[in-house]
Amino acid sequence: MTQTERRLYLINYLINEDSNHRNVEIPNDTVLQKRLLRSLMNIREAKPVSQEFINIQDKYLQADIGEVVSLASLTPVERGIYLWQGDITKLKADAIVNAANSSLLGCFIPCHGCIDNAIHSAAGVQLRLECAEIMKAQGHSEATGTAKITSAYNLPCSHVIHTVGPVVGARLTDKDCRLLADCYRSCLRLATDYGLKSIAFCCISTGEFHFPNDRGAEIAVDTVRNFRRENTDSPEVIFNVFKDIDREIYSKLLG
C-alpha cells in the first residue's frame, strides 16, 4: 500500500466504527486528509481495534515520521545534560516525558497544539489503550507530581514517561513549585529503576498549565542536577524546548 492508500484505509476504518462519523466527508487534499486522520485518532476512545488497523497504522506512522534526531548527534552543555530545541516526537532516546493530564489518556481535542496530543498522535492508538489499562488497574486519577511509564509504539524513543504537572491558578504558590520538582524526580526515579540511559524532558506545566517559564526552568535544572549528583546510576538528561524563549532561559541556566 502507498501512504495515501494507508491513510484512506485508516480514515475509513475510524469513520465506519462510529456511527457519529458516518456523515464525515473525506477531502481530496493530502494535508486535510492528514488533519482529518489525526482528529479522528484524537477523539477516539480507548477501545479494541483490529490487528489489520494496527499493522497499517504502524507502517503509516513510521513512514511519516521524517528525520529522527539521536542523542549521539547532540553535544552536552554539562556532563550528562543536553539542551535541544525541536519536536520531541522526533527524538530517539530511551524515554521522552509527556506532560499529561490526570486521566493519563491523552488529549481528546482534535489536532490540539499540546505535547500530550502530539505524543499520542505520533505513537498511535495503542498508547491510549495502554494508558487506559494502567488507569483501570489504578482505579483513580493520576496524582500531580507522580509518573507512569509506557511503551512508545511508533515513536523513535523506547518509552514514554507520563507525568501530571501542577496547574497554576491566579498566582504561583510554594506548593506548585514543590509539585513540579516532584514531577522531575518521579520521572528520573522511574527511568533509573527501569535502567534507562537517557530521558528527554519537555517543559512540564509551562504551556497549558500556566507555570511561569523562567521559574519552571529553574526548578527543572536544579532538580535534575541534584538528582544526578545523588544518584550515580541516573540517566543522561535532555532538556527539550520548542519555543525560542525557553531555549534562551535554559541556555542561561546551563553550562
Side-chain angles (χ1 to χ4, degrees), residues 172-193:
L172 183 68
T173 67
D174 290 341
K175 181 180 180 181
D176 294 330
C177 295
R178 289 195 300 272
L179 287 171
L180 184 61
D182 287 344
C183 287
Y184 285 93
R185 276 191 292 268
S186 295
C187 292
L188 287 164
R189 175 51 59 198
L190 201 51
T192 302
D193 290 346

Side-chain angles (χ1 to χ4, degrees), residues 132-191:
E133 292 174 359
I134 291 171
M135 298 308 288
K136 182 179 179 181
Q138 178 167 281
H140 57 81
S141 298
E142 186 72 3
T144 303
T146 59
K148 294 288 190 295
I149 189 169
T150 65
S151 296
Y153 300 100
N154 294 292
L155 291 159
C157 58
S158 301
H159 299 83
V160 179
I161 296 179
H162 310 258
T163 189
V164 182
V167 179
V168 177
R171 64 180 183 86
L172 183 68
T173 67
D174 290 341
K175 181 180 180 181
D176 294 330
C177 295
R178 289 195 300 272
L179 287 171
L180 184 61
D182 287 344
C183 287
Y184 285 93
R185 276 191 292 268
S186 295
C187 292
L188 287 164
R189 175 51 59 198
L190 201 51

Side-chain angles (χ1 to χ4, degrees), residues 2 29 32 71 75 87 117 145 200 211 220:
T2 65
D29 181 76
L32 294 178
L71 179 62
T75 302
D87 181 353
N117 189 294
F211 206 103

Side-chain angles (χ1 to χ4, degrees), residues 42 51 118 134 198 204 237:
N42 291 160
Q51 189 59 50
I134 291 171
S198 60
I204 301 168
V237 171

Side-chain angles (χ1 to χ4, degrees), residues 20-154:
N20 293 319
H21 303 333
R22 294 293 166 82
N23 294 325
V24 172
E25 295 184 3
I26 302 175
N28 293 320
D29 181 76
T30 297
V31 174
L32 294 178
Q33 285 182 7
K34 288 183 175 182
R35 185 172 180 85
L36 175 59
L37 175 57
R38 179 168 175 169
S39 297
L40 291 169
M41 292 173 66
N42 291 160
I43 65 177
R44 186 181 189 271
E45 299 292 334
K47 57 186 176 182
V49 66
S50 73
Q51 189 59 50
E52 182 179 34
F53 179 94
I54 292 294
N55 293 341
I56 293 173
Q57 174 213 245
D58 289 357
K59 289 178 181 177
Y60 176 80
L61 292 176
Q62 289 167 21
D64 200 49
I65 194 169
E67 185 177 357
V68 171
V69 176
S70 67
L71 179 62
S73 69
L74 304 181
T75 302
V77 290
E78 292 183 9
R79 183 177 177 84
I81 297 178
Y82 302 76
L83 175 62
W84 178 68
Q85 183 176 18
D87 181 353
I88 200 170
T89 68
K90 312 294 186 185
L91 188 58
K92 187 175 183 180
D94 282 357
I96 63 172
V97 171
N98 178 29
N101 57 53
S102 61
S103 76
L104 228 65
L105 297 181
C107 172
F108 283 84
I109 302 173
C111 296
H112 193 249
C114 69
I115 193 169
D116 200 9
N117 189 294
I119 287 174
H120 275 264
S121 296
V125 299
Q126 303 99 304
L127 183 55
R128 180 167 285 169
L129 290 167
E130 183 177 354
C131 288
E133 292 174 359
I134 291 171
M135 298 308 288
K136 182 179 179 181
Q138 178 167 281
H140 57 81
S141 298
E142 186 72 3
T144 303
T146 59
K148 294 288 190 295
I149 189 169
T150 65
S151 296
Y153 300 100
N154 294 292

